Amino acid sequence: MQGSKREWDHRQKNRDARLARAAGKLGAALSGKLVPAERMVELLHSVIESGDRVCLEGNNQKQADFLAAALCQLDPAQVHDLHMLQSVLALPEHLDLFEKGIASKLDFSFSGPQGAQLARLVAAGKINIGAIHTYLELFGRYFIDLTPRVALIAAQAADRHGNLYTGPNTEDTPAIVEATAFKNGIVIAQVNEIVDVLPRVDVPADWVDFVVQAPTPHYIEPLFTRDPALISEVQVLMAMMAIKGIYAEYGVERINHGIGFDTAAIELILPTYAESLGLRGKIGRNWALNPHPALIPAIEAGFVESVHSFGSELGMERYIESRPDVFFVGRDGSMRSNRAMCQVAGHYACDMFIGSTLQIDLQGNSSTATLGRIAGFGGAPNMGSDARGRRHSSPAWLKAGQQAQQGKKKMPRGQKLVVQMVETFREHMQPAFVEELDAWQLAEQAKLDIPPVMIYGDDVTHILTEEGIANLLLCRSEEEREQAIRGVAGYTAVGMARDRKMVENLRDRGVILRAEDMGIDKRMATRDLLAAKNMKDLVRASGGLYAPPKRFRNW
Amino acid sequence: MQGSKREWDHRQKNRDARLARAAGKLGAALSGKLVPAERMVELLHSVIESGDRVCLEGNNQKQADFLAAALCQLDPAQVHDLHMLQSVLALPEHLDLFEKGIASKLDFSFSGPQGAQLARLVAAGKINIGAIHTYLELFGRYFIDLTPRVALIAAQAADRHGNLYTGPNTEDTPAIVEATAFKNGIVIAQVNEIVDVLPRVDVPADWVDFVVQAPTPHYIEPLFTRDPALISEVQVLMAMMAIKGIYAEYGVERINHGIGFDTAAIELILPTYAESLGLRGKIGRNWALNPHPALIPAIEAGFVESVHSFGSELGMERYIESRPDVFFVGRDGSMRSNRAMCQVAGHYACDMFIGSTLQIDLQGNSSTATLGRIAGFGGAPNMGSDARGRRHSSPAWLKAGQQAQQGKKKMPRGQKLVVQMVETFREHMQPAFVEELDAWQLAEQAKLDIPPVMIYGDDVTHILTEEGIANLLLCRSEEEREQAIRGVAGYTAVGMARDRKMVENLRDRGVILRAEDMGIDKRMATRDLLAAKNMKDLVRASGGLYAPPKRFRNW
């Protein structure tokens, strides 16, 4: 046992040394855990060391933007080769860190608007990407082999002890702080205000080392707001097929919707079309979902029993507070979101994921990767994969499993419904169906181990286009699967190359369903079906409680 | 929008009414949130209503036993048809609730010692089982469609405000409390002591409604302690094959071990056998694992970089506190466990799950179900399933994926290593390999929708017995798979019925590996390889820091 002389508290001692440096440098400027904003760069210089793993809270919505800017001001001669851990790479500062030579390695989930710039920096050798994750697996690694040494997070408010109030935007904060604080890391929080008594405590003070009141409130992006005015009649038709051909067919009660206009259309015809089919109380009762404004009419119509959220959505605060039976709210009345637990719920407690995509190949693999951009994954692969560790059953899960196993000598097992919704042609007449995903080329460009597939073909159960639904569960062979996909691929090259006889045979067997096969009258597919036709209608439906951000208001 | 007149704060008003009843009944006996132990039954009568979903904290280890006993004293004429939500059904009181007519429905994960009695009550129509889950999916449902109305939980200590300190046994508490408190439920905590200042805050006071100091400390089961004296030489041989044939072969750094002597043997030969192969720093560096005492020698030898835990283990407290570089500890020095986050980590951040089982069929499905017992699943199905939502790569994950896809026209994808370890004959000469799992009969007995399979064959990558390793990844057909399994099934009927020619062919191709194929000298497989041969050795290896519970001490 040679280890007996080993030092077992290196992290603790090193943490103490960092805190001592901070106390020495900032001295009387520190008031307990409170740090003056103008001393933040100094503080970071004291507590961050070269090579540190630094988790910078860049969430789907909430951004620790003041701390990101302060980090950018570090002297790269003193602090360099930081290994950045981030849910989302969203702000220019997130990349400046690498340009300036302060950081060199990156593990992340999603890069959104910075995807193109990220690709350039990777090509230029300025960023070494560890891996691209989904949110939940990145959180998981925080407890295994990517534990942050320093976490820079954002909250709404702090009290003088350092307790934090996140308000509705709790998001990733608890997972980040827990992994950091309990492995002798250092947690620094930027807050919008410091108050005597918090509305509630979201993160206990003794998990937090320093608090700074930022000069301006942290940035929040209203990512999940879709203006109903921009929904097309094709999207209404697809939404009708989704509801009648999938939601009703499987009796799907527990759902996660992806982001986008396709699923917003579904949300908006629940109180009209689904109601006319007698589906209230039978589908879409429990949701793992951010508070989509488009869901307001369905909530008001009594379709929705509960919504648990990854994060919040700007403008929905008062509406949420007034609907506590539906949303998860604290004693203070405001929402508590939690990305980690909502991703768990979406993976294990939902019967269906339905979302849009950009490209689908002949095996049903789909990807949102486009050339020259490293966009990352976000949460979709976690939600849109069969939860093979699931053991509880439900009618929807059992039926999907039975369809998948027809005629196969296999142990019975349920399956998650994973639906990819896409118009056959995207913007600029780009075909959504392709022989080979752009992801292959991107993998080569960015030197990824394998192509960045968002949802793998063997996890996809249905592909839905304006031409109909392909039920991949019912396909008996790879060849049938390919023809089922071609059979809904419309006038794309992939669709034109279909074997017409085989496609008709698949249609006879119910593997491919056209609108008319489902008894859907296409003439009904008009915008009249939308329970709200524009933002103003959403506000009206909410009884004036929903307050859309300015950019969505034109009145 | 007919919903506008709907009441949207029913849960909130109903919660207020319950709290008012409690205040009215207990009046001055309540001191803030503190409830005298002798008034607990009255309190429960005030705040629980018939039909409520009640989450009773029965974890893998920690039990809210005082609250369970108090619940059993409710008058079934007043309170009945409770819907119990429990991670683990462990105490007789958990079943008494149903015998007495207080509860009627049950959703749970694991029943352990109460499995036989549970089966009897189900057969007698006294318990209606909603579903059997894994821990993580049950937590997920708490946020979707099984949100508790009342949560009865256990912590080490509380302060007078109601802040809770769980000490190392945080376990399921945060997930339960968050789901309950933020959906206007009621949270009642039993604690061992009430103190002025907590060592740290694990659950903030405003998530908690009532605190009671229980007359005796809550029960904790030392579930993960295995006496090395009981490890057989066959188990040492299997452990050697695991290390050389799988850990080293794939370079597995991030691991979850199941419970049992098979994996304890692996832990105990890391500092001897794995060290002799030069594997220190190359395998088993990061763990999602309870603090197994059997891991002490490997930690001391410098094999282990980090351990994140679902729960703690009795007797390991001082050792953990003295090894803060390895374990997750709070500012107070004691561990913070978290079952939800550790299950996430095990699912998404580990490259391998390896655990024991009771029965394996010809498709590789394995089960620990035995007739007449409804045992449940616990955490194994979540850990032991391919994480299809995973997107980050590692050498082990990529290699497993490559082997799985050999010769198949598929999108490249990694795969989790899922190893089932079993001696060909269990206790009482019961064969571990069977044509049909007992799970089929059990499903019929207990009216389950599908057989309760612990790990599905298509998730299993390797089966390891004393006869060798079957690498199911390399099998090209169902038939090969069956023969690979027969080929390591020894002298069981399943093993005897092997096609010898095909098995030899599989061995030639490396699908089946015998000890000698791996260059393992069976004569080395003695107990001498165990870094600790008994409990005293473990204590010694820990430098006297590990203090085994009495039942494990014979000195």
Side-chain angles (χ1 to χ4, degrees):
Chain A
M1 298 299 106
Q2 72 271 48
S4 52
K5 279 167 217 138
R6 191 174 134 182
E7 189 190 61
W8 294 101
D9 55 356
H10 169 76
R11 288 175 75 97
Q12 207 161 288
K13 282 185 188 141
N14 172 269
R15 178 183 130 84
D16 291 345
R18 294 170 187 231
L19 296 181
R21 281 202 300 268
K25 214 164 186 179
L26 278 79
L30 285 176
S31 159
K33 294 178 178 176
L34 304 189
V35 185
E38 64 276 13
R39 307 294 293 272
M40 186 41 68
V41 177
E42 266 175 281
L43 181 84
L44 295 182
H45 261 138
S46 312
V47 301
I48 296 182
E49 296 179 0
S50 291
D52 272 356
R53 277 198 291 258
V54 176
C55 181
L56 176 55
E57 189 164 21
N59 294 351
N60 218 332
Q61 295 141 286
K62 180 174 70 170
Q63 299 295 335
D65 49 2
F66 172 70
L67 293 174
L71 200 61
C72 276
Q73 291 175 54
L74 293 187
D75 175 4
Q78 281 183 61
V79 176
H80 47 84
D81 289 308
L82 295 185
H83 177 173
M84 301 306 298
L85 311 172
Q86 283 177 252
S87 289
V88 178
L89 209 85
L91 308 175
E93 288 85 352
H94 296 161
L95 289 164
D96 291 349
L97 286 172
F98 294 89
E99 299 246 40
K100 292 185 174 181
I102 299 165
S104 59
K105 189 165 181 187
L106 173 67
D107 275 280
F108 76 112
S109 289
F110 185 66
S111 74
Q114 303 295 344
Q117 179 64 355
L118 175 59
R120 276 191 290 274
L121 286 171
V122 168
K126 294 208 167 180
I127 298 188
N128 165 17
I129 292 184
I132 317 178
H133 308 75
T134 70
Y135 298 129
L136 195 58
E137 68 183 291
L138 187 59
F139 301 157
R141 291 190 75 186
Y142 288 170
F143 292 91
I144 299 293
D145 65 332
L146 287 183
T147 306
R149 195 79 192 101
V150 177
L152 308 175
I153 58 155
Q156 170 60 32
D159 64 18
R160 278 159 224 290
H161 306 287
N163 291 296
L164 302 182
Y165 171 60
T166 57
N169 300 96
T170 314
E171 301 203 35
D172 311 18
T173 313
I176 296 169
V177 175
E178 179 159 353
T180 310
F182 289 95
K183 202 73 195 287
N184 279 302
I186 291 173
V187 175
I188 304 174
Q190 76 169 73
V191 298
N192 301 342
E193 45 177 351
I194 291 170
V195 298
D196 287 327
V197 181
L198 292 173
R200 71 172 189 244
V201 175
D202 285 291
V203 177
D206 57 7
W207 306 17
V208 178
D209 295 292
F210 298 103
V211 172
V212 60
Q213 180 171 2
T216 50
H218 59 68
Y219 181 71
I220 303 186
E221 169 73 16
L223 208 60
F224 294 87
T225 301
R226 291 293 174 276
D227 186 343
L230 302 176
I231 291 174
S232 69
E233 304 208 319
V234 170
Q235 283 165 330
V236 173
L237 173 64
M238 287 167 64
M240 291 168 73
M241 290 196 274
I243 287 175
K244 197 159 184 192
I246 302 175
Y247 291 56
E249 185 65 21
Y250 292 88
V252 188
E253 298 184 45
R254 297 180 267 150
I255 302 183
N256 167 257
H257 272 190
I259 190 173
F261 287 100
D262 292 328
T263 43
I266 297 175
E267 291 154 21
L268 286 166
I269 68 167
L270 284 173
T272 56
Y273 183 65
E275 176 74 34
S276 75
L277 298 175
L279 295 173
R280 178 154 41 98
K282 293 183 185 149
I283 64 166
R285 293 168 62 181
N286 306 104
W287 300 71
L289 194 81
N290 274 22
H292 292 185
L295 201 61
I296 291 171
I299 293 173
E300 295 301 306
F303 263 80
V304 176
E305 223 164 70
S306 74
V307 176
H308 186 256
S309 299
F310 313 94
S312 190
E313 185 67 4
L314 268 186
M316 287 288 282
E317 297 80 4
R318 276 182 61 219
Y319 181 73
I320 293 167
E321 288 182 34
S322 308
R323 300 291 180 267
D325 281 352
V326 173
F327 296 96
F328 280 73
V329 298
R331 305 281 187 260
D332 63 313
S334 77
M335 192 169 79
R336 162 101 174 177
S337 57
N338 185 328
R339 192 171 320 281
M341 292 315 295
C342 197
Q343 286 285 343
V344 165
H347 186 64
Y348 272 132
C350 286
D351 286 328
M352 181 168 80
F353 165 79
I354 177 166
S356 304
T357 192
L358 290 183
Q359 278 192 336
I360 300 181
D361 73 9
L362 297 177
Q363 286 78 50
N365 300 300
S366 62
S367 169
T368 55
T370 46
L371 290 179
R373 295 179 60 86
I374 302 180
F377 296 116
N382 172 60
M383 314 304 275
S385 60
D386 187 33
R388 296 167 76 101
R390 172 173 168 175
R391 292 295 180 271
H392 77 276
S393 67
S394 68
W397 184 78
L398 285 174
K399 181 168 181 173
Q402 278 154 8
Q403 290 188 341
Q405 300 197 323
Q406 264 172 10
K408 288 173 200 151
K409 196 191 77 179
K410 276 204 161 178
M411 179 63 74
R413 188 174 190 175
Q415 185 163 339
K416 185 177 204 173
L417 293 162
V418 175
V419 184
Q420 289 284 269
M421 227 174 151
V422 67
E423 285 183 57
T424 53
F425 285 96
R426 308 163 9 210
E427 287 174 335
H428 313 302
M429 287 304 280
Q430 289 285 311
F433 291 86
V434 295
E435 299 270 338
E436 187 180 281
L437 296 178
D438 286 354
W440 284 95
Q441 268 180 273
L442 184 65
E444 226 162 280
Q445 276 182 356
K447 298 192 179 63
L448 307 176
D449 290 321
I450 52 178
V453 170
M454 185 66 82
I455 309 220
Y456 283 87
D458 45 11
D459 279 323
V460 175
T461 62
H462 298 77
I463 295 174
L464 197 172
T465 71
E466 73 278 10
E467 207 189 355
I469 296 173
N471 181 342
L472 304 186
L473 290 167
L474 296 175
C475 295
R476 295 175 188 146
S477 65
E478 287 301 313
E479 200 197 349
E480 277 196 11
R481 197 179 172 83
E482 182 180 319
Q483 289 302 326
I485 293 170
R486 290 188 191 275
V488 295
Y491 293 100
T492 62
V494 163
M496 301 292 276
R498 70 185 63 174
D499 175 332
R500 294 192 174 274
K501 214 172 133 189
M502 208 165 155
V503 165
E504 281 315 302
N505 174 264
L506 290 174
R507 193 176 160 189
D508 292 341
R509 278 173 38 209
V511 178
I512 291 177
L513 292 167
R514 308 287 179 216
E516 48 271 35
D517 302 336
M518 297 174 241
I520 291 172
D521 180 352
K522 283 186 181 176
R523 289 167 306 177
M524 270 185 67
T526 70
R527 285 182 37 87
D528 287 342
L529 269 189
L530 297 173
K533 292 176 189 59
N534 50 49
M535 295 302 287
K536 216 166 179 173
D537 280 355
L538 287 177
V539 175
R540 213 175 286 127
S542 76
L545 294 166
Y546 170 47
K550 261 188 205 148
R551 75 167 100 152
F552 292 102
R553 288 169 176 272
N554 52 2
W555 65 90
Chain B
M1 298 300 106
Q2 70 270 49
S4 52
K5 279 168 215 134
R6 195 175 131 182
E7 189 190 60
W8 294 102
D9 55 356
H10 170 74
R11 289 176 74 99
Q12 206 161 291
K13 281 186 188 140
N14 172 269
R15 178 183 130 84
D16 291 345
R18 294 171 188 229
L19 296 180
R21 281 203 300 269
K25 214 165 188 179
L26 278 78
L30 285 175
S31 159
K33 293 177 178 177
L34 304 189
V35 185
E38 64 276 13
R39 307 293 294 273
M40 186 41 69
V41 176
E42 266 173 283
L43 180 83
L44 295 181
H45 261 138
S46 311
V47 300
I48 297 182
E49 297 179 359
S50 291
D52 272 354
R53 277 199 291 259
V54 175
C55 181
L56 175 56
E57 190 165 22
N59 294 352
N60 219 332
Q61 295 141 285
K62 180 173 71 168
Q63 299 295 335
D65 48 2
F66 172 71
L67 293 174
L71 201 61
C72 275
Q73 290 175 55
L74 292 188
D75 175 4
Q78 280 183 60
V79 177
H80 48 84
D81 288 308
L82 295 185
H83 178 174
M84 301 305 299
L85 310 172
Q86 284 177 251
S87 289
V88 178
L89 209 85
L91 308 176
E93 287 85 351
H94 295 161
L95 289 164
D96 290 350
L97 285 172
F98 295 90
E99 298 246 40
K100 291 185 176 182
I102 299 165
S104 59
K105 189 165 181 186
L106 173 67
D107 275 280
F108 76 112
S109 289
F110 185 66
S111 73
Q114 302 296 344
Q117 179 64 356
L118 175 59
R120 277 190 290 275
L121 286 172
V122 168
K126 291 205 170 183
I127 299 188
N128 166 17
I129 293 184
I132 316 178
H133 307 75
T134 69
Y135 298 129
L136 195 58
E137 68 182 289
L138 187 59
F139 301 157
R141 290 190 76 186
Y142 289 170
F143 293 90
I144 299 293
D145 65 332
L146 286 183
T147 305
R149 196 77 191 101
V150 177
L152 307 176
I153 58 153
Q156 170 60 32
D159 65 18
R160 277 158 224 290
H161 305 288
N163 290 297
L164 301 183
Y165 171 61
T166 57
N169 299 95
T170 315
E171 302 203 35
D172 311 18
T173 313
I176 295 170
V177 174
E178 178 159 353
T180 310
F182 289 95
K183 203 71 196 283
N184 278 302
I186 291 173
V187 176
I188 304 174
Q190 76 170 74
V191 298
N192 301 342
E193 46 178 352
I194 290 169
V195 298
D196 287 328
V197 180
L198 293 174
R200 72 171 188 245
V201 175
D202 285 291
V203 177
D206 58 6
W207 305 18
V208 177
D209 295 292
F210 297 103
V211 172
V212 59
Q213 180 172 1
T216 50
H218 60 68
Y219 180 71
I220 303 186
E221 170 73 16
L223 208 60
F224 294 87
T225 301
R226 292 291 175 276
D227 186 343
L230 301 177
I231 291 174
S232 70
E233 305 208 319
V234 170
Q235 283 165 331
V236 173
L237 173 64
M238 287 166 64
M240 291 168 73
M241 291 196 275
I243 286 175
K244 195 156 185 195
I246 302 175
Y247 291 58
E249 185 65 20
Y250 293 87
V252 188
E253 298 184 46
R254 298 179 267 149
I255 302 184
N256 167 256
H257 271 189
I259 189 172
F261 286 100
D262 292 327
T263 42
I266 297 175
E267 291 155 20
L268 287 166
I269 69 168
L270 285 172
T272 55
Y273 183 65
E275 176 74 34
S276 75
L277 298 176
L279 294 172
R280 180 155 38 100
K282 294 182 185 150
I283 63 165
R285 292 169 62 181
N286 307 105
W287 300 71
L289 194 82
N290 274 24
H292 291 185
L295 200 62
I296 291 171
I299 293 172
E300 295 301 306
F303 263 81
V304 177
E305 223 164 69
S306 73
V307 176
H308 186 255
S309 300
F310 312 95
S312 190
E313 185 67 5
L314 268 185
M316 286 289 281
E317 297 80 3
R318 277 181 61 220
Y319 180 73
I320 293 167
E321 288 182 34
S322 307
R323 300 291 180 267
D325 281 353
V326 174
F327 296 96
F328 280 72
V329 298
R331 305 281 187 259
D332 62 313
S334 76
M335 190 169 81
R336 163 101 173 176
S337 57
N338 185 328
R339 191 171 321 281
M341 292 315 294
C342 196
Q343 287 284 343
V344 165
H347 186 64
Y348 271 131
C350 286
D351 286 328
M352 181 170 79
F353 164 80
I354 177 166
S356 305
T357 191
L358 290 183
Q359 278 192 339
I360 300 180
D361 73 10
L362 298 177
Q363 285 79 49
N365 300 299
S366 62
S367 170
T368 55
T370 47
L371 291 179
R373 294 180 60 85
I374 301 179
F377 296 115
N382 173 59
M383 314 303 275
S385 61
D386 187 33
R388 295 168 75 101
R390 172 173 168 176
R391 291 295 180 271
H392 77 277
S393 67
S394 68
W397 184 78
L398 284 175
K399 181 168 181 172
Q402 278 155 6
Q403 290 189 340
Q405 300 198 323
Q406 263 174 9
K408 289 170 199 151
K409 195 191 77 179
K410 275 201 163 185
M411 179 63 75
R413 187 175 190 174
Q415 186 162 339
K416 186 178 204 173
L417 294 163
V418 175
V419 184
Q420 290 283 271
M421 230 176 147
V422 67
E423 286 182 58
T424 53
F425 285 96
R426 312 169 356 216
E427 288 175 334
H428 314 303
M429 288 303 281
Q430 289 285 311
F433 291 87
V434 295
E435 298 271 337
E436 187 180 281
L437 297 178
D438 286 355
W440 284 94
Q441 267 180 273
L442 184 66
E444 224 163 279
Q445 274 182 357
K447 297 192 181 62
L448 307 175
D449 290 322
I450 52 177
V453 170
M454 185 66 81
I455 309 224
Y456 284 87
D458 45 10
D459 279 323
V460 175
T461 62
H462 297 78
I463 294 174
L464 199 172
T465 71
E466 75 277 10
E467 207 189 354
I469 296 173
N471 181 342
L472 304 186
L473 290 167
L474 296 175
C475 294
R476 293 176 189 148
S477 65
E478 288 300 313
E479 199 195 351
E480 276 195 11
R481 198 178 171 84
E482 181 179 321
Q483 289 302 326
I485 292 170
R486 291 188 191 277
V488 294
Y491 292 100
T492 62
V494 163
M496 301 292 276
R498 70 185 63 173
D499 176 332
R500 295 194 171 273
K501 213 171 131 192
M502 208 164 154
V503 165
E504 280 317 301
N505 176 263
L506 290 173
R507 194 175 160 191
D508 293 341
R509 279 173 37 208
V511 178
I512 290 178
L513 292 168
R514 308 286 179 217
E516 48 272 36
D517 302 337
M518 296 174 241
I520 291 173
D521 181 351
K522 282 187 181 174
R523 289 167 307 178
M524 269 185 68
T526 69
R527 287 184 35 85
D528 287 342
L529 268 189
L530 298 172
K533 293 176 187 59
N534 50 49
M535 295 302 287
K536 217 166 179 173
D537 280 354
L538 287 178
V539 175
R540 214 173 286 127
S542 77
L545 294 165
Y546 170 46
K550 262 188 205 145
R551 75 168 99 149
F552 293 102
R553 288 170 177 273
N554 52 3
W555 63 92

